[in-house]
Amino acid sequence: DWYNVQTANTPQITNLNAEIISPSKALITWQTNYVAVSKIEYGIDQYDKNLTVDGKASNFSNSLDNLTPGKNYQLRIRAISDDGANFTAGITFSTPPLPIVSSLTYEPNFTAAQASYKFTWNTNTATSSALYYKLKDDSSYKSASSPDLVTYHELVVPGFSDQSSYIYYAGGMDQYGNI
């Protein structure tokens, strides 16, 4: 006698993705072709952090918080189906760095009718441009800004008084709202 046997599909994790929410947060999503319990293992250079996902499902979404900005992560999903089959899948992802200002310079702008200065600086990641300045003995700052997300920043600021000392600093906001 001949018998016909139909085998089941191999348990699989599919559509594993890390969506970067901020430099310190990622949303991890995945699917399984069988209802399963899952565990997320992740870390920098090793799987040293674990997060057990509550309940059984076949569509998953979990947030990873308190990640270190500017780092490469490895991530692995471990799943166990109702019949005890173990299956895994993995990815790598990178968190973006926090903005850092460097090479802040200024120079007089002689093309303007009133005293103005051109301020330039760089950031390690694209940010808006914001310059805050005040007379040395004043209590409040004035500001100049541009909303464009760039890594090379240049602002020409008018209205400086002759023979005066100023305090200034530069910054900006990245696409995630970090300053």
Side-chain angles (χ1 to χ4, degrees):
D1 287 329
W2 290 93
Y3 295 95
N4 187 8
V5 176
Q6 180 68 34
T7 60
N9 290 330
T10 303
Q12 294 180 26
I13 295 169
T14 58
N15 300 320
L16 177 55
N17 184 52
E19 178 186 350
I20 304 302
I21 304 300
S22 76
S24 62
K25 185 175 186 173
L27 179 65
I28 310 303
T29 57
W30 69 98
Q31 297 171 336
T32 59
N33 60 342
Y34 289 99
V35 172
V37 294
S38 291
K39 180 165 104 174
I40 302 172
E41 300 174 336
Y42 66 100
I44 302 167
D45 298 326
Q46 59 185 342
Y47 299 107
D48 60 341
K49 294 177 178 57
N50 295 294
L51 178 63
T52 300
V53 179
D54 292 333
K56 294 179 182 181
S58 58
N59 289 300
F60 297 88
S61 178
N62 253 75
S63 178
L64 298 182
D65 299 318
N66 301 314
L67 299 174
T68 303
K71 296 294 182 179
N72 297 321
Y73 279 85
Q74 54 189 19
L75 178 138
R76 174 172 57 204
I77 303 296
R78 290 191 178 274
I80 303 173
S81 66
D82 282 340
D83 64 1
N86 288 289
F87 49 112
T88 63
I91 59 170
T92 60
F93 67 94
S94 299
T95 54
L98 292 173
I100 298 172
V101 173
S102 63
S103 306
L104 176 58
T105 63
Y106 70 95
E107 61 185 56
N109 182 18
F110 296 112
T111 61
Q114 84 183 117
S116 66
Y117 283 86
K118 179 172 78 171
F119 293 85
T120 61
W121 67 94
N122 297 309
T123 51
N124 61 326
T125 188
T127 68
S128 60
S129 302
L131 181 77
Y132 302 91
Y133 61 97
K134 70 174 188 162
L135 281 166
K136 185 177 179 183
D137 296 326
D138 278 358
S139 60
S140 60
Y141 282 89
K142 296 179 183 179
S143 65
S145 63
S146 169
D148 298 334
L149 298 179
V150 295
T151 57
Y152 174 76
H153 305 264
E154 181 178 309
L155 291 174
V156 176
V157 183
F160 285 88
S161 302
D162 291 336
Q163 302 297 314
S164 300
S165 294
Y166 283 85
I167 296 172
Y168 64 94
Y169 67 95
M173 187 179 298
D174 68 10
Q175 67 179 344
Y176 304 106
N178 296 296
I179 299 174

